[in-house]
Amino acid sequence: MEKNDLNAGWNLEHSYAELPETFYTRQQAVAVQSPDWIIFNQTLAVSLGLNADVLQCPEGTAIFAGNNIPDGAEPLAQAYAGHQFGNFNMLGDGRALLLGEQITPQGDRVDIQLKGSGRTPYSRGGDGRAAVGPMLREYIISEAMAGLGIPTTRSLAVVSTGESIYRETERPGAILTRVAASHIRVATFQYAAQFGSVEDLRALADYTIHRHFSQVEGNEQRYLSFLQEVIKLQAHLVAKWQNVGFIHGVMNTDNMAISGETIDYGPCAFMDTYNPATVFSSIDRQGRYAYGNQPYIAGWNLARFAETLLPLLHEDEEQAVQIAQDAIAQFSEHYHHHWLTGMRAKLGLFTEEAEDETLIKDLLDLMEKHAADFTNTFVTLTLNKLETSTLSDESDFKEWHTRWQDRLVRQPESSDEVMEQMKRNNPVVIPRNEKVEEVLERAEQDGDYSLIQPLLDILQRPYAYTPEQEAFGAMPVSCDPSYKTFCGT
Ligand code: AMP
Ligand code: MG
């Protein structure tokens, strides 16, 4: 084991553990019966400075199952407390362990976390475990998001545990290894504000600024600058989600990372037919986290974040509240800017005209009215293959199309340049629900993992427009309006 550890390339540090002890509990993983590989991300491993060959040995399986800890790891569970569907709860890593921070060959510091590694002091009633399906869903969707160029945590490995877990039914257990810029969440700050001293809160803020926002470290009003930067990153992130039709599913404050990465893939899915009311998560009965609500919820979560910083923003509470409110008010402007920039790019617009937003919204309205597929509509426009679209026979769409063509002519760029721009901004493939479901089902029910990598290969470069991808993307979408995703936690 030691020999393998020496060669595996682990380079772990533990800066988070230097925070006050209230922020974590040291905890070992609970060993599992008979771990085995499901999938390993070689490319990611190499970029982290890890030796993929060494790690793919049985010793590697033991590490990603929590049966063995990598050289230099000092596992801990992080404390946090936040709003779940609007209700405040004490949370924390109930089934996850931070092994440490890998320092990559490029000098980046990234968290290596096991998810599904057994109970911790924060498990509450849970068993600390995870099922194959949900861990594979996180792996597939997070890697697809990375391919789409959207900030996200990454997935390094999924191993099966050889043990069953019990949800509504008996399911095979699995552990995911997640790689993240950090696991500091809005909920980590809520925990500090609720249960810690002002000094604990300041320590967390200083740590986070140093780790993620060192550019504001010297600012006179560093905590305000920090808040503003977090707001900007979230505005950027959620605009990116909207631009590709990604629905997170559970935008609780514990699932919002301060780093600006998409985190905690639960019942997430991509929208097929365009409809802002789309909700996939079976537990989201009120539609709180529907596609069209995501920007508002992000703003709501950021307001909770700003509240935690009040003692650091100004010694006078009233003034602190004013400062926080002014900062939060900027969110919608930032969001709108990113959304509009993204949508212009999707329509091949290089220049800016006042009527652009109406043009965009009219297209979305038409897609909603005629129940058109979000992704495929943009692909159709990109490739100028209108005949393949369900919209092509609609007279109101034809009118819109003429308006758009006229708009394109009013900019200097050639049609080739427009097409290139559109290809860079309209994915030809997304992780379609029925494809993802098929892969997860085969894995959970038959232990057949052979479909995972081919799907990932297709999803890895979604803007490539290869013939295979165009064929994959053009497949009829038998959109099931009752499609539901389950947490399965
Ligand atoms: P999530 O819905 O995955 O964001 O999880 C919300 C909270 O519940 C977090 O504190 C998790 O660590 C915890 N949790 C989720 N599933 C389990 C489980 N099976 N056992 C223990 N804790 C869990
Ligand atoms: Mg969570």
Side-chain angles (χ1 to χ4, degrees), residues 260-275:
E261 288 182 338
T262 311
I263 195 170
D264 244 345
Y265 292 83
C268 57
F270 281 71
M271 179 170 60
D272 295 313
T273 304
Y274 177 78
N275 186 337

Side-chain angles (χ1 to χ4, degrees), residues 84 91-92 94-95 123-124 126-129 167 254-255 264 489:
Q84 297 182 297
L91 301 166
R95 54 168 174 172
S123 295
R124 298 171 289 158
D127 60 2
R129 293 300 185 192
R167 297 295 180 260
D254 62 304
N255 298 336
D264 244 345
T489 52

Side-chain angles (χ1 to χ4, degrees), residues 196-213:
S197 64
V198 174
E199 285 327 302
D200 291 333
L201 175 68
R202 192 184 302 280
L204 178 65
D206 286 342
Y207 173 78
T208 310
I209 291 171
H210 184 67
R211 186 159 172 186
H212 295 300
F213 303 95

Side-chain angles (χ1 to χ4, degrees), residues 80 84 91-93 95 115 178 185 248 250 252-256 263-265:
Y80 46 89
Q84 297 182 297
L91 301 166
D93 288 336
R95 54 168 174 172
K115 184 171 174 180
R178 176 155 75 185
R185 308 149 190 265
H248 183 285
V250 196
N252 292 334
T253 57
D254 62 304
N255 298 336
M256 186 181 259
I263 195 170
D264 244 345
Y265 292 83

Side-chain angles (χ1 to χ4, degrees), residues 62-128:
I63 283 176
F64 295 117
N67 284 12
N68 216 335
I69 64 165
D71 197 26
E74 292 173 17
L76 59 83
Q78 293 175 320
Y80 46 89
H83 285 92
Q84 297 182 297
F85 292 91
N87 303 307
F88 188 81
N89 291 314
M90 174 63 205
L91 301 166
D93 288 336
R95 54 168 174 172
L97 287 179
L98 176 65
L99 295 180
E101 300 139 21
Q102 173 79 0
I103 309 302
T104 73
Q106 298 78 33
D108 294 329
R109 174 183 300 270
V110 294
D111 279 7
I112 308 285
Q113 192 206 54
L114 300 182
K115 184 171 174 180
S117 49
R119 301 193 82 241
T120 77
Y122 311 113
S123 295
R124 298 171 289 158
D127 60 2

